[in-house]
Amino acid sequence: MRNIILVGFMGTGKSVVGKLLAKKLNMDFVESDEMIETREKMPIKDIFEKKGEPYFRLVEKEVVKEASSRKNIVISAGGGAIADEDNLKNLKNSGIIICLKASPETILRRTKDLKTRPLLNIPDPKKKIGELLKKREAYYNKADFSVNTDDLSIEQAVERILLDISSVI
Ligand code: S3P
């Protein structure tokens, strides 16, 4: 079976939905963020702080390539990963891409108490969410399917994805 790749903005539910999806399909689950943290031996926020975003994006590119070459896995790609032509190409070749979406309000609510996302750990995260969503919209729209998770439970989002991919796997 082709890999299933979850993309989408921070706070749209990629990790929780991806884990349950992988369990239901009896597939392994990998997260690009986790692969990066393992490689660099530090949390994402420290990588941003100590080495900067361009370095983070370089490592992200490498782990996306590595994950894309594996078989029979569900991949959760960090929110900015798809906004890069190499990553997009590698992920497209690897399987079916599902974009999880949510409104800026939902994203803000789901992310506001966590200090783990350096891009939103700023005085005006709402403005940043709007800017990044706009910048990345065209990339997110290159996914094979989109699921809006605003009003869905984790279970419901997984069911929706299973229904979508049933026509193509
Ligand atoms: C980022 C999203 C994060 C993580 C990093 C940058 C982004 O992943 O890769 O903080 O650029 O949107 P999640 O989408 O899993 O939070």
Side-chain angles (χ1 to χ4, degrees), residues 52-98:
E53 184 173 351
Y55 179 82
F56 170 83
R57 296 296 171 197
L58 277 180
V59 184
E60 184 174 59
K61 204 185 273 262
E62 283 172 22
V63 302
V64 165
K65 192 170 177 195
E66 186 189 323
S68 302
S69 70
R70 288 182 58 184
K71 299 272 175 283
N72 214 38
I73 53 171
V74 174
I75 303 170
S76 166
I82 194 97
D84 172 277
E85 293 296 338
D86 293 331
N87 293 344
L88 181 64
K89 196 170 87 209
N90 283 328
L91 292 171
K92 275 264 176 206
N93 287 336
S94 163
I96 306 161
I97 303 187
I98 319 275

Short mmCIF file of all heavy atoms in Angstrom, two decimals, residues 52-98:
data_model
loop_
_atom_site.label_atom_id
_atom_site.label_comp_id
_atom_site.label_asym_id
_atom_site.label_seq_id
_atom_site.Cartn_x
_atom_site.Cartn_y
_atom_site.Cartn_z
N GLY A 52 18.67 28.32 14.19
CA GLY A 52 17.91 29.13 13.24
C GLY A 52 16.99 28.31 12.34
O GLY A 52 17.18 27.11 12.15
N GLU A 53 15.98 29.00 11.77
CA GLU A 53 15.00 28.30 10.93
C GLU A 53 15.60 27.71 9.65
O GLU A 53 15.26 26.58 9.30
CB GLU A 53 13.82 29.23 10.60
CG GLU A 53 12.76 28.47 9.80
CD GLU A 53 11.48 29.26 9.56
OE1 GLU A 53 11.31 30.34 10.15
OE2 GLU A 53 10.65 28.74 8.78
N PRO A 54 16.51 28.42 8.95
CA PRO A 54 17.07 27.82 7.73
C PRO A 54 17.73 26.46 7.99
O PRO A 54 17.59 25.53 7.20
CB PRO A 54 18.10 28.86 7.25
CG PRO A 54 17.60 30.15 7.81
CD PRO A 54 16.99 29.80 9.14
N TYR A 55 18.43 26.34 9.11
CA TYR A 55 19.05 25.06 9.45
C TYR A 55 17.96 24.00 9.70
O TYR A 55 18.05 22.87 9.19
CB TYR A 55 19.94 25.20 10.70
CG TYR A 55 20.58 23.89 11.10
CD1 TYR A 55 21.72 23.43 10.47
CD2 TYR A 55 20.01 23.10 12.11
CE1 TYR A 55 22.29 22.21 10.81
CE2 TYR A 55 20.57 21.88 12.46
CZ TYR A 55 21.71 21.44 11.82
OH TYR A 55 22.26 20.23 12.17
N PHE A 56 16.93 24.40 10.46
CA PHE A 56 15.81 23.48 10.71
C PHE A 56 15.23 22.97 9.39
O PHE A 56 14.96 21.78 9.23
CB PHE A 56 14.72 24.20 11.53
CG PHE A 56 13.44 23.43 11.64
CD1 PHE A 56 13.27 22.42 12.58
CD2 PHE A 56 12.38 23.69 10.76
CE1 PHE A 56 12.08 21.69 12.65
CE2 PHE A 56 11.19 22.97 10.82
CZ PHE A 56 11.05 21.98 11.78
N ARG A 57 15.04 23.87 8.42
CA ARG A 57 14.44 23.49 7.14
C ARG A 57 15.33 22.51 6.37
O ARG A 57 14.84 21.65 5.65
CB ARG A 57 14.16 24.73 6.28
CG ARG A 57 13.14 25.69 6.87
CD ARG A 57 11.75 25.08 7.01
NE ARG A 57 10.85 25.94 7.78
CZ ARG A 57 9.71 25.53 8.32
NH1 ARG A 57 9.31 24.28 8.18
NH2 ARG A 57 8.96 26.36 9.00
N LEU A 58 16.66 22.68 6.52
CA LEU A 58 17.58 21.75 5.85
C LEU A 58 17.43 20.33 6.41
O LEU A 58 17.35 19.36 5.67
CB LEU A 58 19.03 22.20 6.06
CG LEU A 58 19.58 23.27 5.12
CD1 LEU A 58 21.01 23.58 5.48
CD2 LEU A 58 19.50 22.78 3.67
N VAL A 59 17.40 20.27 7.75
CA VAL A 59 17.25 18.94 8.38
C VAL A 59 15.86 18.37 8.04
O VAL A 59 15.72 17.18 7.77
CB VAL A 59 17.42 19.03 9.92
CG1 VAL A 59 17.37 17.65 10.55
CG2 VAL A 59 18.73 19.72 10.28
N GLU A 60 14.87 19.24 8.01
CA GLU A 60 13.52 18.79 7.67
C GLU A 60 13.50 18.16 6.28
O GLU A 60 12.88 17.12 6.05
CB GLU A 60 12.55 19.99 7.73
CG GLU A 60 11.10 19.62 7.49
CD GLU A 60 10.16 20.81 7.72
OE1 GLU A 60 10.32 21.84 7.03
OE2 GLU A 60 9.27 20.73 8.57
N LYS A 61 14.20 18.80 5.35
CA LYS A 61 14.26 18.27 3.98
C LYS A 61 14.86 16.87 3.97
O LYS A 61 14.39 15.98 3.27
CB LYS A 61 15.10 19.22 3.12
CG LYS A 61 14.80 19.16 1.65
CD LYS A 61 15.76 20.02 0.86
CE LYS A 61 15.35 21.46 0.73
NZ LYS A 61 14.70 21.82 -0.51
N GLU A 62 15.91 16.68 4.77
CA GLU A 62 16.55 15.35 4.80
C GLU A 62 15.63 14.29 5.39
O GLU A 62 15.52 13.19 4.87
CB GLU A 62 17.84 15.42 5.63
CG GLU A 62 18.97 16.06 4.86
CD GLU A 62 20.20 16.30 5.72
OE1 GLU A 62 20.36 15.62 6.76
OE2 GLU A 62 21.00 17.16 5.35
N VAL A 63 14.94 14.64 6.48
CA VAL A 63 14.09 13.60 7.10
C VAL A 63 12.84 13.33 6.25
O VAL A 63 12.35 12.21 6.20
CB VAL A 63 13.69 13.92 8.57
CG1 VAL A 63 14.91 14.10 9.44
CG2 VAL A 63 12.75 15.08 8.70
N VAL A 64 12.36 14.36 5.55
CA VAL A 64 11.20 14.14 4.66
C VAL A 64 11.60 13.18 3.54
O VAL A 64 10.86 12.27 3.19
CB VAL A 64 10.67 15.49 4.09
CG1 VAL A 64 9.75 15.26 2.91
CG2 VAL A 64 9.95 16.28 5.18
N LYS A 65 12.82 13.36 3.04
CA LYS A 65 13.32 12.46 1.99
C LYS A 65 13.41 11.03 2.52
O LYS A 65 13.00 10.08 1.86
CB LYS A 65 14.69 12.96 1.51
CG LYS A 65 15.16 12.31 0.25
CD LYS A 65 16.39 13.00 -0.29
CE LYS A 65 16.88 12.26 -1.52
NZ LYS A 65 18.23 12.67 -1.88
N GLU A 66 13.96 10.92 3.70
CA GLU A 66 14.12 9.59 4.31
C GLU A 66 12.76 8.93 4.56
O GLU A 66 12.54 7.78 4.19
CB GLU A 66 14.89 9.73 5.63
CG GLU A 66 15.23 8.40 6.26
CD GLU A 66 15.80 8.57 7.67
OE1 GLU A 66 16.54 9.54 7.91
OE2 GLU A 66 15.47 7.73 8.53
N ALA A 67 11.84 9.67 5.16
CA ALA A 67 10.51 9.11 5.44
C ALA A 67 9.80 8.73 4.14
O ALA A 67 9.16 7.68 4.05
CB ALA A 67 9.67 10.12 6.24
N SER A 68 9.95 9.57 3.12
CA SER A 68 9.27 9.31 1.84
C SER A 68 9.76 8.03 1.18
O SER A 68 9.04 7.43 0.38
CB SER A 68 9.53 10.47 0.86
OG SER A 68 9.08 11.68 1.39
N SER A 69 10.99 7.62 1.50
CA SER A 69 11.53 6.42 0.86
C SER A 69 11.10 5.15 1.59
O SER A 69 11.32 4.04 1.11
CB SER A 69 13.06 6.50 0.82
OG SER A 69 13.57 6.36 2.13
N ARG A 70 10.48 5.31 2.75
CA ARG A 70 10.01 4.12 3.47
C ARG A 70 8.68 3.64 2.90
O ARG A 70 8.03 4.33 2.14
CB ARG A 70 9.89 4.44 4.97
CG ARG A 70 11.25 4.57 5.63
CD ARG A 70 11.14 4.84 7.10
NE ARG A 70 10.39 3.81 7.82
CZ ARG A 70 10.08 3.88 9.12
NH1 ARG A 70 10.46 4.93 9.83
NH2 ARG A 70 9.40 2.92 9.71
N LYS A 71 8.29 2.41 3.28
CA LYS A 71 7.05 1.84 2.74
C LYS A 71 6.06 1.55 3.87
O LYS A 71 6.45 1.27 4.99
CB LYS A 71 7.35 0.51 2.02
CG LYS A 71 8.30 0.64 0.85
CD LYS A 71 7.53 0.95 -0.45
CE LYS A 71 8.46 1.21 -1.62
NZ LYS A 71 9.11 2.52 -1.67
N ASN A 72 4.81 1.59 3.51
CA ASN A 72 3.74 1.18 4.43
C ASN A 72 3.71 1.97 5.75
O ASN A 72 3.57 1.40 6.81
CB ASN A 72 3.91 -0.32 4.74
CG ASN A 72 2.56 -0.98 4.93
OD1 ASN A 72 1.60 -0.64 4.23
ND2 ASN A 72 2.46 -1.88 5.89
N ILE A 73 3.84 3.27 5.62
CA ILE A 73 3.79 4.10 6.83
C ILE A 73 2.82 5.27 6.66
O ILE A 73 2.51 5.68 5.54
CB ILE A 73 5.18 4.69 7.21
CG1 ILE A 73 5.82 5.44 6.03
CG2 ILE A 73 6.13 3.62 7.70
CD1 ILE A 73 7.07 6.22 6.42
N VAL A 74 2.38 5.77 7.81
CA VAL A 74 1.65 7.04 7.84
C VAL A 74 2.68 8.09 8.27
O VAL A 74 3.37 7.90 9.27
CB VAL A 74 0.48 6.99 8.84
CG1 VAL A 74 -0.17 8.36 8.97
CG2 VAL A 74 -0.55 5.94 8.40
N ILE A 75 2.79 9.16 7.50
CA ILE A 75 3.75 10.22 7.82
C ILE A 75 3.00 11.49 8.22
O ILE A 75 2.10 11.93 7.49
CB ILE A 75 4.62 10.57 6.57
CG1 ILE A 75 5.35 9.36 6.02
CG2 ILE A 75 5.60 11.70 6.90
CD1 ILE A 75 6.03 9.58 4.66
N SER A 76 3.37 12.06 9.35
CA SER A 76 2.88 13.39 9.69
C SER A 76 4.02 14.37 9.40
O SER A 76 5.09 14.28 10.00
CB SER A 76 2.48 13.46 11.17
OG SER A 76 2.32 14.80 11.55
N ALA A 77 3.80 15.26 8.45
CA ALA A 77 4.84 16.21 8.06
C ALA A 77 4.61 17.54 8.77
O ALA A 77 3.48 18.04 8.79
CB ALA A 77 4.83 16.42 6.54
N GLY A 78 5.65 18.10 9.36
CA GLY A 78 5.54 19.39 10.05
C GLY A 78 4.85 20.43 9.17
O GLY A 78 4.95 20.38 7.94
N GLY A 79 4.18 21.37 9.81
CA GLY A 79 3.31 22.33 9.11
C GLY A 79 3.92 23.09 7.95
O GLY A 79 3.22 23.49 7.03
N GLY A 80 5.24 23.28 7.97
CA GLY A 80 5.85 24.06 6.90
C GLY A 80 6.52 23.18 5.85
O GLY A 80 7.01 23.67 4.83
N ALA A 81 6.53 21.87 6.07
CA ALA A 81 7.31 20.97 5.21
C ALA A 81 6.85 21.01 3.75
O ALA A 81 7.68 20.99 2.84
CB ALA A 81 7.24 19.55 5.76
N ILE A 82 5.56 21.05 3.56
CA ILE A 82 5.04 20.95 2.19
C ILE A 82 5.31 22.22 1.37
O ILE A 82 5.24 22.20 0.14
CB ILE A 82 3.52 20.62 2.24
CG1 ILE A 82 2.98 20.16 0.88
CG2 ILE A 82 2.70 21.79 2.73
CD1 ILE A 82 2.91 18.69 0.73
N ALA A 83 5.64 23.31 2.06
CA ALA A 83 5.89 24.56 1.36
C ALA A 83 7.31 24.62 0.82
O ALA A 83 8.02 25.64 0.94
CB ALA A 83 5.61 25.75 2.29
N ASP A 84 7.74 23.54 0.26
CA ASP A 84 9.10 23.42 -0.29
C ASP A 84 9.00 22.44 -1.46
O ASP A 84 8.46 21.34 -1.29
CB ASP A 84 10.05 22.87 0.79
CG ASP A 84 11.41 22.53 0.24
OD1 ASP A 84 11.58 21.42 -0.33
OD2 ASP A 84 12.31 23.36 0.35
N GLU A 85 9.48 22.84 -2.62
CA GLU A 85 9.27 22.03 -3.83
C GLU A 85 9.85 20.62 -3.72
O GLU A 85 9.24 19.66 -4.17
CB GLU A 85 9.85 22.74 -5.06
CG GLU A 85 9.13 24.03 -5.44
CD GLU A 85 7.66 23.81 -5.86
OE1 GLU A 85 7.31 22.70 -6.27
OE2 GLU A 85 6.88 24.78 -5.76
N ASP A 86 11.05 20.49 -3.11
CA ASP A 86 11.66 19.16 -2.98
C ASP A 86 10.81 18.26 -2.09
O ASP A 86 10.56 17.10 -2.41
CB ASP A 86 13.07 19.25 -2.37
CG ASP A 86 14.04 19.95 -3.30
OD1 ASP A 86 13.83 19.87 -4.52
OD2 ASP A 86 14.98 20.59 -2.79
N ASN A 87 10.37 18.83 -0.96
CA ASN A 87 9.55 18.04 -0.04
C ASN A 87 8.24 17.63 -0.71
O ASN A 87 7.79 16.49 -0.58
CB ASN A 87 9.25 18.84 1.23
CG ASN A 87 10.48 19.08 2.07
OD1 ASN A 87 11.50 18.44 1.87
ND2 ASN A 87 10.39 20.02 3.00
N LEU A 88 7.65 18.58 -1.41
CA LEU A 88 6.38 18.31 -2.09
C LEU A 88 6.55 17.16 -3.08
O LEU A 88 5.74 16.23 -3.13
CB LEU A 88 5.92 19.60 -2.80
CG LEU A 88 4.61 19.54 -3.55
CD1 LEU A 88 3.45 19.29 -2.60
CD2 LEU A 88 4.36 20.86 -4.30
N LYS A 89 7.62 17.21 -3.84
CA LYS A 89 7.88 16.18 -4.85
C LYS A 89 8.10 14.82 -4.17
O LYS A 89 7.49 13.82 -4.55
CB LYS A 89 9.11 16.58 -5.67
CG LYS A 89 9.25 15.80 -6.95
CD LYS A 89 10.32 16.40 -7.84
CE LYS A 89 11.64 15.80 -7.44
NZ LYS A 89 12.85 16.42 -7.57
N ASN A 90 8.92 14.79 -3.14
CA ASN A 90 9.20 13.53 -2.45
C ASN A 90 7.95 12.95 -1.82
O ASN A 90 7.69 11.74 -1.90
CB ASN A 90 10.28 13.73 -1.38
CG ASN A 90 11.66 13.82 -1.99
OD1 ASN A 90 11.93 13.20 -3.01
ND2 ASN A 90 12.53 14.62 -1.38
N LEU A 91 7.16 13.80 -1.20
CA LEU A 91 5.95 13.31 -0.53
C LEU A 91 4.92 12.84 -1.56
O LEU A 91 4.26 11.81 -1.38
CB LEU A 91 5.35 14.40 0.38
CG LEU A 91 6.22 14.75 1.60
CD1 LEU A 91 5.68 15.98 2.33
CD2 LEU A 91 6.29 13.57 2.58
N LYS A 92 4.79 13.57 -2.66
CA LYS A 92 3.85 13.17 -3.72
C LYS A 92 4.21 11.80 -4.27
O LYS A 92 3.34 10.95 -4.50
CB LYS A 92 3.87 14.19 -4.87
CG LYS A 92 2.97 15.38 -4.67
CD LYS A 92 1.63 15.17 -5.37
CE LYS A 92 0.66 16.33 -5.10
NZ LYS A 92 -0.73 15.98 -5.20
N ASN A 93 5.51 11.56 -4.48
CA ASN A 93 5.94 10.27 -5.02
C ASN A 93 5.76 9.14 -4.03
O ASN A 93 5.73 7.97 -4.41
CB ASN A 93 7.43 10.33 -5.42
CG ASN A 93 7.63 11.15 -6.67
OD1 ASN A 93 6.70 11.29 -7.47
ND2 ASN A 93 8.82 11.70 -6.84
N SER A 94 5.65 9.50 -2.76
CA SER A 94 5.62 8.49 -1.71
C SER A 94 4.22 7.96 -1.42
O SER A 94 4.05 6.85 -0.92
CB SER A 94 6.23 9.13 -0.46
OG SER A 94 5.94 8.46 0.69
N GLY A 95 3.20 8.75 -1.73
CA GLY A 95 1.86 8.25 -1.42
C GLY A 95 0.75 9.27 -1.58
O GLY A 95 0.86 10.22 -2.35
N ILE A 96 -0.30 9.04 -0.80
CA ILE A 96 -1.49 9.89 -0.89
C ILE A 96 -1.36 11.01 0.15
O ILE A 96 -1.12 10.73 1.33
CB ILE A 96 -2.75 9.07 -0.56
CG1 ILE A 96 -2.82 7.83 -1.46
CG2 ILE A 96 -4.01 9.91 -0.69
CD1 ILE A 96 -3.74 6.76 -0.91
N ILE A 97 -1.53 12.23 -0.29
CA ILE A 97 -1.39 13.36 0.64
C ILE A 97 -2.76 13.88 1.08
O ILE A 97 -3.61 14.21 0.25
CB ILE A 97 -0.58 14.51 0.00
CG1 ILE A 97 0.80 14.00 -0.45
CG2 ILE A 97 -0.43 15.67 0.96
CD1 ILE A 97 1.74 15.08 -0.94
N ILE A 98 -2.93 13.91 2.39
CA ILE A 98 -4.17 14.45 2.96
C ILE A 98 -3.80 15.73 3.71
O ILE A 98 -2.92 15.70 4.58
CB ILE A 98 -4.78 13.50 4.03
CG1 ILE A 98 -4.70 12.04 3.61
CG2 ILE A 98 -6.17 13.94 4.46
CD1 ILE A 98 -5.78 11.54 2.76
#
